[in-house]
Amino acid sequence: MSSSFKKAQSPAPEAKSPKGKEKSPTPGPASPAGKKSPTPGPAKSPTPAPTSPVADESSEPVGLLSGAHWGQQELDEDNDSTLGSDAESSTASITSSILHYRDVLGRTYHSDSVTDTEYWGPNDAKANEMLDIFHATLVRLFDGKLYTSPLNEKEIENAIDIGTGTGVWAIDFADDHPNCNVIGTDISPIQPSWVPPNARFLIDDATKEWTYEENYFDFIHLRFMTGIIKDWDALYKEAYRCCKPGGWIEQLDCDAGWYCFDGTMAKTSAMAQWGPIWKEVGRKTGLEFHVVSSDTMEKGMENAGFTNITSEDYYVPGTPWSDDPKMKQLGLYQSVALTHDIEGFLVYFMPNYMGWTPKEVANYATALRREFREAKIHSNIRWRMVRAQKPLDA
């Protein structure tokens, strides 16, 4: 069986969206000249992928600044407030061993009784709110759509959301597909107990052997998994085994690094350092924090046996600096999500692998929040949507 995949074009140097050429502010990227997509795919991409980057901090590193660089700065944390508010999270009723969370620098994490995988994301209310804001951001990116794969709406029976987090995607998908059995899996029981009758959540480690039937799922969904999986090939092979012939797998993910195409991001800024920091963490842990630029998703799906692989890139502003109305709104949402819980990304790896002190972590987070609020840096996150199908004759 053969497979192929395509990529969207490279980003453009323009910091602002083009004017006067198209009525819609969010046209889809064109396919490469002379080639057609091997799958029906979405009718239209929700946002354009710019072309020909002028500068890319992740490809032109200037060296990683030490934690001491941030610790020596005198930053006023009292005048630096995150956007959003803390709220109570509702959890399902499960065993006390699973609810026995670890505490790291005041943040709670999954129980060691669930998995031996080194997952770094907190599971407390603040982190969960950040995940929900990102969900709202990504749904807006795709104009209200939860997926882009060409599913047969009338025949889809079973779907699974791997790494479901707060479960909001699985709940929305179940509401939209009342005749489909929807499963959401995660290593933390942070999902609500009131869910659609056709949805359920399981505490499960997707990096282990999957316990589902072979050829079972019509649709396998993954999102925001960068920096989590060590053996991507093993994950995709399990997904392939459990996917129904003709079924689809879809993943939306990003690189842990900021892209800037107009020179507004100084090499020593906190935003510019984000990419080098996570490259170093990846080197020390074996985790992949740049699944987009490494083509991890496409290669893994192809190696597992999936075919009809297609992908598109979307450069979404990290702050509301764009003149394009949709991009400006998406920039605001991404800014709110990231500034809501910057520490949630840092407090596990920075002390344990980078040797940063709590003050250095706090000061770096403060500097980063300040740059987000000022919105002087025209930064972008590079999201990639990848779809693939299990052959009908598999």
Side-chain angles (χ1 to χ4, degrees):
M1 294 176 289
S2 64
S3 63
S4 62
F5 60 85
K6 67 174 184 177
K7 296 183 199 173
Q9 297 177 343
S10 305
E14 288 85 7
K16 298 182 180 180
S17 301
K19 296 181 179 179
K21 293 184 178 180
E22 302 188 32
K23 295 181 180 180
S24 171
T26 58
S31 299
K35 296 184 180 180
K36 293 184 178 180
S37 170
T39 65
K44 184 181 292 184
S45 285
T47 59
T51 58
S52 304
V54 170
D56 179 353
E57 62 83 17
S58 63
S59 64
E60 299 181 10
V62 294
L64 176 63
L65 299 177
S66 67
H69 170 82
W70 307 105
Q72 293 168 358
Q73 299 185 35
E74 294 299 327
L75 300 175
D76 188 359
E77 184 69 24
D78 292 336
N79 291 328
D80 178 72
S81 60
T82 57
L83 300 174
S85 61
D86 292 339
E88 295 294 328
S89 65
S90 177
T91 62
S93 176
I94 55 177
T95 64
S96 59
S97 62
I98 294 177
L99 285 170
H100 185 68
Y101 299 143
R102 293 176 296 139
D103 185 281
V104 179
L105 294 179
R107 305 300 298 270
T108 61
Y109 294 78
H110 67 274
S111 170
D112 286 333
S113 66
V114 177
T115 178
D116 56 4
T117 300
E118 188 176 33
Y119 178 56
W120 48 270
N123 62 4
D124 48 29
K126 193 170 187 178
N128 297 342
E129 289 168 356
M130 183 270 293
L131 293 176
D132 285 345
I133 299 171
F134 257 122
H135 171 73
T137 305
L138 296 174
V139 170
R140 278 164 174 74
L141 172 61
F142 291 93
D143 298 322
K145 296 178 181 178
L146 295 173
Y147 60 92
T148 64
S149 296
L151 304 180
N152 189 324
E153 297 289 342
K154 295 182 179 180
E155 296 183 6
I156 182 171
E157 297 176 328
N158 299 291
I160 188 168
D161 184 28
I162 301 297
T164 194
T166 61
V168 63
W169 183 93
I171 291 172
D172 288 350
F173 189 86
D175 279 335
D176 289 348
H177 301 80
N179 296 321
C180 178
N181 170 45
V182 182
I183 298 174
T185 70
D186 206 281
I187 57 174
S188 285
I190 56 176
Q191 303 79 33
S193 55
W194 289 94
V195 298
N198 58 320
R200 61 192 174 109
F201 296 109
L202 302 175
I203 306 305
D204 195 13
D205 184 358
T207 65
K208 310 299 182 184
E209 182 179 355
W210 292 17
T211 58
Y212 312 105
E213 298 177 25
E214 292 186 6
N215 305 319
Y216 181 70
F217 293 108
D218 299 278
F219 188 42
I220 298 174
H221 178 260
L222 304 94
R223 186 176 66 178
F224 211 10
M225 302 285 282
T226 191
I228 295 176
I229 308 299
K230 279 192 176 181
D231 192 343
W232 282 101
D233 282 343
L235 177 76
Y236 292 127
K237 286 177 181 178
E238 288 298 298
Y240 183 86
R241 181 176 62 83
C242 296
C243 186
K244 185 181 296 183
W248 290 86
I249 182 172
E250 178 171 302
Q251 183 171 352
L252 178 63
D253 236 304
C254 64
D255 280 345
W258 295 94
Y259 292 79
C260 180
F261 309 120
D262 62 359
T264 57
M265 184 164 67
K267 300 286 186 180
T268 56
S269 65
M271 281 192 191
Q273 284 291 299
W274 188 256
I277 284 173
W278 292 110
K279 277 191 175 180
E280 180 64 11
V281 171
R283 187 187 69 81
K284 292 184 176 182
T285 62
L287 294 168
E288 178 58 76
F289 288 91
H290 294 80
V291 297
V292 173
S293 53
S294 65
D295 294 334
T296 294
M297 296 179 282
E298 296 95 327
K299 292 176 182 177
M301 292 179 191
E302 185 174 33
N303 291 339
F306 288 103
T307 58
N308 292 337
I309 303 171
T310 58
S311 66
E312 298 95 28
D313 286 353
Y314 307 98
Y315 289 83
V316 182
T319 60
W321 58 263
S322 176
D323 288 338
D324 181 283
K326 179 178 178 179
M327 291 294 102
K328 189 176 186 68
Q329 183 188 49
L330 288 171
L332 175 62
Y333 271 69
Q334 284 202 140
S335 177
V336 169
L338 289 163
T339 56
H340 187 72
D341 191 21
I342 292 173
E343 288 85 354
F345 292 95
L346 303 171
V347 294
Y348 184 83
F349 281 126
M350 296 306 107
N352 293 332
Y353 288 92
M354 302 294 284
W356 288 23
T357 66
K359 180 182 178 182
E360 290 165 354
V361 172
N363 277 8
Y364 176 69
T366 298
L368 199 54
R369 272 195 296 269
R370 183 169 296 171
E371 290 176 3
F372 273 107
R373 284 202 313 272
E374 292 173 347
K376 295 178 180 178
I377 298 174
H378 295 172
S379 59
N380 300 270
I381 289 182
R382 182 185 184 187
W383 290 95
R384 176 172 291 177
M385 172 66 78
V386 182
R387 297 168 297 276
Q389 186 179 28
K390 184 171 181 177
L392 285 168
D393 60 352

